[in-house]
Amino acid sequence: MTTPPGPVQAEPEAARPTSLSPSRASDFMQCPLLYRFRVIDRLPEKPSEAATRGTLVHAVLERLFDHPAAERTAPRAKALIPGQWDRLLESKPELSELFAEDDGGERLARWLGEAESLVERWFTLEDPTRLEPVEREFFVEAELESGLRLRGIIDRVDVAPTGEVRIVDYKTGKAPRAEYADGALFQMKFYALVVWRLRQVLPRRLQLVYLGSGDVLTYDPVMGDLERVERKLLALWEAIREATDSGEWRPRPTKLCGWCDHRAVCPEFGGTPPVYPLPVVRRDGAEGAPGGAAAERPAGE
């Protein structure tokens, strides 16, 4: 007896971008073509050990605050790692590919040990027994007067007894050099802008906790910062809209290209992008068919 085939998993339909997050804004600033591959084409990307370790550590630090203050110790936090790893595998089975060829389990054990070290280092930077976050893994979304929707997930929000707000983000990598600090703070200023738009509260402090190097970067924003970020985001969004209409997404080669999953379809590496899946809007406002001439032009020309 022939077993009927299971349902075919449909590819997600391409759609025009409707909102902006810190990650996607950074993608476009890094390389417009990368933004297209991730947001418009939704090309799959292989999971990485570093990114998955970051997700695991974030989950552990979030769950630790479920426990009473006195129980928020390093041993308790490290004990949460195996369970959180199992939860990650359950929600994203594809992560098992990371250690598919690790027959002896040595790479997985080493990787989990690295996660333990990052979690343990956090206790040298902050004292969770003295913290009572108001929000953890806090999804925020706000619409600007222009209609642009901003959205993101804040790792932690602390509120002092006096009402002052602190936004905290955990990074499992190393702190950037001083000349790159502004780029690192862009995400935090983005969040501060969204909180301001949502609650009319200017966060007192933005704090980046770098577990990879044991550094804490803090910044106290002023209204001028948020106004500049808003202007930057509006200009960025206008550029994204123009690229969406024209189908012209230019690659921007940098040293980061070496870590990109999409080199095989990138013109900078001899590849050809997929046919553009959205209608191309000509300068006169008329729409062309998906993958029109403007879309097929090599993005690097």
Side-chain angles (χ1 to χ4, degrees), residues 110-251:
R110 182 170 62 252
W111 182 81
L112 290 172
E114 292 167 350
E116 286 189 359
S117 297
L118 293 170
V119 168
E120 194 167 29
R121 181 170 289 150
W122 178 58
F123 286 83
T124 69
L125 305 174
E126 296 190 288
D127 182 358
T129 66
R130 301 179 64 183
L131 298 171
E132 291 298 338
V134 172
E135 302 286 355
R136 289 172 280 152
E137 293 296 308
F138 181 40
F139 174 78
V140 291
E141 184 175 50
E143 185 171 314
L144 304 182
E145 293 178 0
S146 65
L148 170 59
R149 282 193 296 130
L150 305 179
R151 61 196 307 175
I153 299 177
I154 301 175
D155 288 345
R156 197 179 85 218
V157 179
D158 302 330
V159 178
T162 55
E164 295 175 319
V165 174
R166 176 172 62 183
I167 296 176
V168 181
D169 194 71
Y170 308 121
K171 300 295 185 185
T172 50
K174 297 181 179 180
R177 297 199 299 267
E179 58 266 34
Y180 298 114
D182 286 345
L185 283 170
F186 169 76
Q187 174 187 8
M188 305 302 285
K189 293 178 182 179
F190 183 109
Y191 290 146
L193 173 61
V194 177
V195 169
W196 163 251
R197 288 300 185 186
L198 282 176
R199 301 183 176 180
Q200 295 299 300
V201 173
L202 175 66
R204 174 69 178 82
R205 173 154 293 182
L206 310 177
Q207 181 166 302
L208 284 160
V209 181
Y210 287 94
L211 305 177
S213 57
D215 295 299
V216 176
L217 176 63
T218 62
Y219 183 80
D220 297 341
V222 296
M223 278 306 304
D225 289 325
L226 306 193
E227 292 167 352
R228 283 188 290 273
V229 168
E230 183 166 341
R231 288 195 297 269
K232 181 174 184 176
L233 291 174
L234 290 174
L236 197 64
W237 187 243
E238 182 59 29
I240 290 172
R241 289 177 60 185
E242 290 179 2
T244 302
D245 287 344
S246 68
E248 295 184 9
W249 301 86
R250 298 182 182 278

Side-chain angles (χ1 to χ4, degrees), residues 5-200:
V8 176
Q9 185 68 38
E11 292 293 328
E13 291 187 9
R16 292 176 62 88
T18 59
S19 63
L20 196 59
S21 69
S23 296
R24 299 294 78 83
S26 295
D27 284 346
F28 188 83
M29 290 187 290
Q30 175 187 326
C31 175
L33 187 58
L34 174 63
Y35 177 98
R36 176 201 149 170
F37 287 157
R38 285 179 167 170
V39 177
I40 306 294
D41 299 295
R42 304 185 190 184
L43 299 184
E45 296 182 351
K46 296 179 180 178
S48 73
E49 291 188 18
T52 304
R53 184 170 52 241
T55 302
L56 174 59
V57 170
H58 276 72
V60 169
L61 299 186
E62 180 192 2
R63 294 274 69 86
L64 183 65
F65 285 103
D66 291 340
H67 298 278
E71 298 179 16
R72 297 172 196 160
T73 63
R76 170 59 66 92
K78 290 192 290 184
L80 294 174
I81 290 177
Q84 291 303 312
W85 173 231
D86 289 341
R87 287 184 61 185
L88 269 180
L89 285 175
E90 184 177 349
S91 63
K92 297 181 178 180
E94 66 272 17
L95 294 180
S96 61
E97 300 173 11
L98 288 171
F99 305 102
E101 300 178 3
D102 184 27
D103 295 333
E106 295 179 1
R107 280 182 50 226
L108 175 59
R110 182 170 62 252
W111 182 81
L112 290 172
E114 292 167 350
E116 286 189 359
S117 297
L118 293 170
V119 168
E120 194 167 29
R121 181 170 289 150
W122 178 58
F123 286 83
T124 69
L125 305 174
E126 296 190 288
D127 182 358
T129 66
R130 301 179 64 183
L131 298 171
E132 291 298 338
V134 172
E135 302 286 355
R136 289 172 280 152
E137 293 296 308
F138 181 40
F139 174 78
V140 291
E141 184 175 50
E143 185 171 314
L144 304 182
E145 293 178 0
S146 65
L148 170 59
R149 282 193 296 130
L150 305 179
R151 61 196 307 175
I153 299 177
I154 301 175
D155 288 345
R156 197 179 85 218
V157 179
D158 302 330
V159 178
T162 55
E164 295 175 319
V165 174
R166 176 172 62 183
I167 296 176
V168 181
D169 194 71
Y170 308 121
K171 300 295 185 185
T172 50
K174 297 181 179 180
R177 297 199 299 267
E179 58 266 34
Y180 298 114
D182 286 345
L185 283 170
F186 169 76
Q187 174 187 8
M188 305 302 285
K189 293 178 182 179
F190 183 109
Y191 290 146
L193 173 61
V194 177
V195 169
W196 163 251
R197 288 300 185 186
L198 282 176
R199 301 183 176 180
Q200 295 299 300

